């Protein structure tokens, strides 16, 4: 089936009606060597939820930054309620009624929950001083509406990522905004928190507030969005009613290629059919324990297999990966790699043994945004590339060229700052950093989180290729379908302990859900919605 190639519509055809609360008209944005937005037009109507979709690098993030005053457009104009506007900084966009929730929580970690919610608009008493009692009271009332149980006085960084995201949501909807932009808002949320988010979106719609919703999760888009705008390579491809497009059409439009080609590249499945992992143990972990986080975790990884690590949010998945990589201090346990027991488990020792970890939070724990693509890729390999303390630039360039081509990293040059790349390309840069060390074990914590369907397919296909080459891969994913399709075996965790293991024909969604259900807490023990978790 050929991809439906929608012709970019004129502003009127694209929904630029008089009722539009926010419009972008023929907006362009250029960076050195890259045209990020090329004559893009779209509109957002009052009281609608509008999906913005496209592959990483399609221009979604750039468009959001133009709408919110982070970037100034090089061409075109913005309008609010029909009047031209020009934002020179984010504060001006906020003052105009545009509020944004970013994928990575964009708040102040060391400040309290209340200070974050009221930052820049703190209530004052008659003496002009901050009225903390009122601020804490109003924060508590606001959080109650989101099902969040957290002390308004508590520093934000002490809460779980999901709870922090709910705090960001609470702030965004509490400022009397006309437009709320949500960039991958559910990426850190539990299912019950997602339901709360959808209820909030419904309330916003009832109040006539426009929501621009960016997500790579099709189920979410078709559940909450009215219209959709598709971007590809910085250009406007289509705007229309989402209900008029089936998922196959939407994916084909985003990728710009035949859907059968998408399936072949790995979107449908990245587990090679008939793949039999060689039963050569590469890594064995026994009795890993860490106070309040892990309890007697034992796992084995084999050459050429993908081991899935499943469980609900807060089950200990990320902590297990960090323990295997030496990044989490253990109270007990033993780790053996290729028959050699690591006497002292530290990140350096794990790397020397051949263990590499791709962390869940690529922004905080992975990339160095101010450094170039080249510098980020060779960062971990510098000791190997140096001789008498001198690093060979020729060796660097050779390695970077190999992995930029193999992973199809899209950048204007190896010297472009990695912080300027799309999320999917940043993830590929991190993969390149660890693959150039030729590891024996690759630990992947949410490797496709927050990246589009095209980049996701490439990463998934690469994982299968690496396993086929004999690499032992540990895959952590909150996406049950991704876990089922990608893993040869699945170890299920709950409360920092192993709840069960699935292999062979048992690697199926119904069996995984059964294991989770069998080990779920009783209703009376269920934690309140949006409680902070240990992750």
């Amino acid at each position: 089936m050929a991809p439906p190639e929608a012709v970019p519509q004129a502003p009127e055809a694209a929904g630029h009606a008089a009722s539009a609360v926010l419009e972008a008209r023929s907006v362009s944005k250029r960076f050195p060597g890259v045209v990020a937005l090329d004559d893009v037009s779209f509109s957002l109507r009052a009281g609608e939820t509008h999906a913005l979709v496209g592959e990483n690098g399609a221009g979604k993030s750039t468009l959001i930054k133009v709408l919110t005053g982070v970037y100034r457009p090089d061409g075109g104009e913005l309008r609010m309620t029909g009047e031209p506007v020009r934002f020179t900084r984010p504060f001006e966009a906020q003052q105009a009624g545009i509020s944004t929730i970013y994928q990575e929580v964009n708040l102040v970690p060391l400040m309290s929950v209340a200070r974050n919610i009221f930052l820049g608009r703190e209530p004052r008493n008659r003496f002009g001083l901050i009225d903390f009692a009122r601020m804490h009271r109003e924060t508590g009332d606001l959080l109650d509406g989101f099902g969040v149980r957290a002390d308004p006085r508590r520093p934000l960084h002490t809460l779980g990522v999901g709870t922090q995201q709910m705090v960001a949501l609470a702030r965004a909807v509490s400022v009397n905004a006309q437009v709320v932009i949500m960039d991958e808002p559910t990426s850190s949320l539990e299912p019950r928190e997602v339901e709360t988010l959808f209820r909030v979106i419904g309330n916003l719609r009832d109040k006539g507030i426009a929501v621009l919703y960016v997500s790579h999760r099709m189920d979410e888009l078709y559940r909450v969005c009215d219209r959709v705008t598709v971007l590809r390579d910085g250009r406007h491809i289509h705007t229309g009613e989402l209900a008029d497009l089936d998922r196959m059409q939407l994916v084909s439009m985003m990728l710009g290629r035949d859907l059968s080609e998408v399936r072949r590249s790995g979107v449908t499945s990245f587990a090679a059919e008939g793949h039999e992992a060689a039963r050569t143990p590469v890594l064995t972990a026994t009795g890993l324990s860490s106070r309040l986080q892990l309890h007697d975790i034992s796992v084995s990884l084999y050459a050429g297999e993908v081991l899935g690590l499943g469980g609900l949010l807060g089950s200990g998945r990320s902590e297990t990966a960090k323990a295997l990589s030496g990044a989490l201090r253990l109270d007990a346990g033993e780790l053996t790699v290729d028959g050699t027991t690591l006497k002292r488990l530290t990140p350096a020792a794990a790397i020397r043994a051949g263990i590499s970890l791709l962390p869940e939070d690529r922004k905080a724990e992975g990339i160095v945004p101010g450094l170039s693509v080249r510098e980020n890729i060779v960062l971990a390999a510098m000791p190997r590339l140096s001789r008498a303390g001198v690093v060979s630039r020729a060796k660097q360039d050779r390695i970077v060229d190999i992995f930029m081509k193999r992973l199809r990293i899209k950048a204007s040059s190896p010297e472009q700052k990695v912080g300027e790349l799309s999320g999917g390309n940043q993830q590929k840069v991190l993969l390149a950093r660890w693959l150039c060390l030729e590891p024996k074990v690759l630990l992947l914590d949410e490797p496709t989180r927050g990246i589009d369907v095209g980049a996701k397919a490439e990463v998934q296909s690469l994982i299968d290729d690496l396993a086929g080459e004999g690499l032992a891969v540990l895959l952590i994913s909150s996406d049950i379908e991704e876990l089922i399709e990608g893993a040869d075996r699945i170890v299920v965790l709950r409360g920092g302990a192993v709840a069960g293991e699935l292999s062979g024909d048992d690697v199926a969604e119904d069996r995984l859900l059964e294991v989770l259900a069998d080990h779920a807490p009783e209703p009376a023990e269920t934690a309140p919605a949006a409680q902070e978790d240990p992750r």
Side-chain angles (χ1 to χ4, degrees), residues 131-172:
D131 189 340
F132 285 100
R134 176 186 166 191
M135 186 169 66
H136 294 152
R137 183 176 63 255
E138 293 184 3
T139 297
D141 293 341
L142 182 63
L143 294 180
D144 282 344
F146 288 85
V148 176
R149 300 281 186 85
D151 186 347
R153 302 169 180 80
R154 186 170 176 177
L156 185 73
H157 73 89
T158 63
L159 305 180
V161 176
T163 305
Q164 291 185 34
Q165 189 76 314
M166 296 302 287
V167 171
L169 174 62
R171 171 180 165 79

Side-chain angles (χ1 to χ4, degrees), residues 1 39 60-62 103 158 171 180 193 236 272 275 280 303 332 335 338 350 427 461 492 497 520:
M1 185 185 77
D39 194 32
K60 304 187 302 296
S61 296
T62 302
Q103 178 182 348
T158 63
R171 171 180 165 79
V180 176
E193 294 171 330
H236 174 261
H275 173 69
T280 304
L335 184 66
D338 268 353
Q427 196 75 307
S461 181
V492 185

Side-chain angles (χ1 to χ4, degrees), residues 168-192:
L169 174 62
R171 171 180 165 79
V173 302
S174 69
V175 296
N176 298 319
Q178 298 181 61
V179 174
V180 176
I181 299 174
M182 300 183 176
D183 187 3
E184 295 287 350
T186 65
S187 60
S188 301
L189 302 184
E190 292 189 61
R192 55 192 175 191

Side-chain angles (χ1 to χ4, degrees), residues 401-420:
D401 182 62
I402 290 172
F403 283 98
M404 286 190 71
K405 288 179 179 177
R406 179 178 182 183
L407 274 62
R408 292 192 285 180
I409 297 172
K410 295 179 181 179
S412 58
S413 79
E415 302 310 313
Q416 183 179 5
K417 289 185 177 180
V418 76
E420 297 174 356

Side-chain angles (χ1 to χ4, degrees), residues 10-21:
E12 293 77 16
H16 290 263
S19 62
V21 64

